[in-house]
Amino acid sequence: MNKKHTEMLDFDKKHVWHPYTSMSKPLPSYLVESAEGVYIKLASGEKLVDGMSSWWSVLHGYNHPQLNKALIEQSQKMAHVMFGGLTHEPAINLCKKLIAITPKPLQKVFLSDSGSVSVEVAIKMSLQYWHSLGKSEKHKLLTVKNGYHGDTFAAMAVCDPVNGMHKIFESVLMKNIFAPAPQSNFFQTWDDSELITLEKIFAEHHHEVAAFIIEPIVQGTGGMRFYHPKYLQACREYCDKYNILFIADEIATGLGRTGKMFACNWADISPDIMCLGKTLTGGYMTLAATLCTDDVADTISNGAAGCFMHGPTFMANPLACAVANASLKLLETGEWQQQISFIEHFLQEHLLPLNSHYRVNNVRVLGGIGVVETVDAVDMEYIQKRFVELGVWIRPFGKLIYIMPPFISNTEELSLLITAISTVLDEAPCFV
Ligand SMILES: Cc1ncc(COP(=O)(O)O)c(C=O)c1O
């Protein structure tokens, strides 16, 4: 690394806040120079195979010619215009595409800036829906433990009450209702015994609940847990039975990652409100969408307020919409299905055998997601350094070493990720 790089990193360490990081004792950050395909190139010269898809978002790889083209062409027309009173082709095309690929009842689209904001929007929609019907007493959210829905306030209030940030912000967070986390494993025979407790909670609280929110099939940041589609079907059934709106947070799972276009498709259900983010622009820039049914939109619009009370400055940013359209066009070819199936089979063959390692509790694979749950928690700083030395970018947390590589990853790249994981499992300093 040259002097300029060292100075940049020094400034970064002293002044630039990184996600979930202390400013007094920051973990090291690695300076990235460029990224191409599945590779992240560090300023120090290493080329790392990306196992994280930049937190679930990169589908078709970095520096993609078609996504670049869409971005450049749109930038020459307009980078941004306000969305209040104005509209434009990139947004219209995007909403058309989203309505076409999501479950049929979802007919209205609200575009916003990030996953967390799309969850705020979904929650606000559900509260305003019941307010419009004169039932303001339905003002709480029902969810399950081990969930993660973002870091803004309404989103935080539906994250897991123990692993999330409830303790710090307890006094200001909405008081919501938490059912036990889904227990029936995706891969095991369905056991409906947990539904007794679940239905009891719906029955007890429905009069005060506006919406039920859940990550379909994959509980991500809250533990990388894969649960049974029949559980999701039961949730839909109870929402109908007890008059509660169903919010599906597909921010991590949407657009192919689990092997279906949407994780809701595993259970053949349609939510009343769906959140999309992360993958929407193929990992290029921040954009999210909250889709809802005609009933939700009409009820809100015909209510006392006469409109939905939300409107971000960068709503429907044309650059982001244009890139999202280019990314969805690549998905429309259907190639993603073979890509995910290839990753899934490869991980099943080569990652699942790590199950027998003495340092491993459980290995699981679903679609393009591979999870190694370890016996001991990782030493973040040490293991991160080792992964970089081994030529990969994998960022574990707690007892979870997980990968969700870009869809375009090939045999050689996936092998490198798996070899790196298997290597660190043999190294004691990687664990605390
Ligand atoms: C399921 C889920 N919902 C919401 C979010 C929040 O999205 P963002 O980080 O874009 O605000 C995330 C992010 O990891 C997520 O995984």
Side-chain angles (χ1 to χ4, degrees):
M1 244 187 324
N2 61 30
K3 190 164 165 261
K4 185 178 156 208
H5 295 151
T6 313
E7 273 170 16
M8 278 201 279
L9 277 177
D10 193 41
F11 181 89
D12 187 271
K13 191 172 173 183
K14 286 196 185 117
H15 299 282
V16 184
W17 224 315
H18 285 262
Y20 312 107
T21 298
S22 153
M23 279 285 15
S24 50
K25 272 196 218 148
L27 289 174
S29 289
Y30 296 84
L31 187 62
V32 178
E33 200 169 71
S34 60
E36 172 98 32
V38 303
Y39 289 92
I40 295 176
K41 190 168 175 245
L42 299 185
S44 45
E46 294 94 338
K47 250 177 95 183
L48 310 178
V49 171
D50 180 19
M52 306 304 295
S53 290
S54 278
W55 275 340
W56 308 80
S57 65
V58 174
L59 303 180
H60 319 291
Y62 298 93
N63 206 2
H64 193 283
Q66 272 143 282
L67 272 59
N68 286 358
K69 185 166 174 270
L71 182 59
I72 292 164
E73 283 181 3
Q74 184 54 45
S75 72
Q76 285 157 354
K77 291 183 195 154
M78 62 181 165
H80 186 62
V81 287
M82 63 184 278
F83 211 51
L86 298 174
T87 192
H88 46 78
E89 193 174 356
I92 294 167
N93 287 345
L94 175 60
C95 295
K96 230 186 241 176
K97 280 183 201 286
L98 291 177
I99 289 169
I101 60 171
T102 50
K104 210 159 173 220
L106 301 171
Q107 287 294 319
K108 305 285 196 271
V109 191
F110 191 98
L111 297 167
S112 64
D113 326 51
S114 71
S116 300
V117 174
S118 78
V119 169
E120 296 287 322
V121 167
I123 291 175
K124 208 190 246 191
M125 277 180 180
S126 69
L127 298 177
Q128 215 183 313
Y129 175 87
W130 291 110
H131 186 268
S132 298
L133 290 174
K135 294 193 173 173
S136 302
E137 70 279 8
K138 279 169 87 73
H139 65 284
K140 289 191 178 177
L141 276 299
L142 170 59
T143 187
V144 291
K145 290 184 181 164
N146 280 93
Y148 177 77
H149 299 282
D151 292 346
T152 50
F153 273 81
M156 265 200 294
V158 283
C159 291
D160 185 88
V162 177
N163 303 329
M165 289 156 276
H166 284 245
K167 279 207 186 74
I168 310 174
F169 302 107
E170 210 163 25
S171 60
V172 285
L173 286 185
M174 285 169 78
K175 302 277 178 279
N176 291 321
I177 298 147
F178 291 86
Q183 293 308 311
S184 300
N185 191 299
F186 184 91
F187 306 101
Q188 284 165 357
T189 315
W190 168 239
D191 169 8
D192 66 4
S193 56
E194 63 182 307
L195 295 186
I196 299 168
T197 311
L198 184 65
E199 183 167 8
K200 218 168 134 216
I201 295 171
F202 271 84
E204 249 170 50
H205 294 280
H206 68 94
H207 60 280
E208 54 176 345
V209 172
F212 172 73
I213 180 166
I214 194 163
E215 295 154 273
I217 304 297
V218 179
Q219 290 195 290
T221 308
M224 301 299 291
R225 306 169 80 244
F226 307 149
Y227 65 88
H228 205 286
K230 289 225 187 290
Y231 183 92
L232 199 59
Q233 279 169 355
C235 296
R236 175 70 268 187
E237 199 185 302
Y238 299 152
C239 282
D240 289 339
K241 184 169 171 188
Y242 294 102
N243 230 359
I244 288 172
L245 294 174
F246 189 118
I247 304 173
D249 178 348
E250 292 258 12
I251 289 163
T253 50
L255 305 182
R257 177 56 68 183
T258 67
K260 300 271 185 196
M261 184 56 107
F262 299 99
C264 279
N265 298 142
W266 285 107
D268 211 9
I269 59 136
S270 175
D272 301 295
I273 301 175
M274 180 189 273
C275 301
L276 298 174
K278 288 188 182 285
T279 46
L280 200 48
T281 60
Y284 260 53
M285 56 233 288
T286 183
L287 180 72
T290 310
L291 288 100
C292 71
T293 60
D294 284 333
D295 174 42
V296 170
D298 292 347
T299 304
I300 290 171
S301 307
N302 299 332
C307 63
F308 180 52
M309 296 305 284
H310 209 92
T313 303
F314 286 100
M315 185 168 183
N317 173 255
L319 293 174
C321 290
V323 176
N325 282 324
S327 177
L328 290 177
K329 199 164 166 202
L330 291 174
L331 286 178
E332 276 163 16
T333 65
E335 205 187 343
W336 66 271
Q337 279 163 307
Q338 290 99 57
Q339 292 171 330
I340 286 291
S341 162
F342 167 72
I343 296 174
E344 182 169 42
H345 287 118
F346 196 91
L347 297 184
Q348 280 167 345
E349 196 178 334
H350 300 281
L351 192 72
L352 284 182
L354 294 179
N355 235 329
S356 58
H357 195 285
Y358 72 98
R359 229 188 266 286
V360 171
N361 247 339
N362 177 257
V363 183
R364 42 195 184 265
V365 171
L366 177 66
I369 312 167
V371 183
V372 177
E373 193 172 322
T374 52
V375 175
D376 301 309
V378 300
D379 179 318
M380 254 312 259
E381 183 169 353
Y382 190 86
I383 204 168
Q384 190 80 89
K385 186 166 137 286
R386 284 297 291 135
F387 277 135
V388 169
E389 284 164 0
L390 293 164
V392 298
W393 182 248
I394 299 176
R395 190 161 173 85
F397 66 90
K399 295 178 180 175
L400 295 168
I401 302 175
Y402 64 104
I403 50 173
M404 55 282 198
F407 291 9
I408 56 162
S409 306
N410 65 24
T411 305
E412 192 193 328
E413 292 146 2
L414 295 173
S415 298
L416 210 66
L417 291 171
I418 292 171
T419 306
I421 295 175
S422 125
T423 305
V424 297
L425 287 176
D426 289 330
E427 297 182 0
C430 289
F431 300 88
V432 291

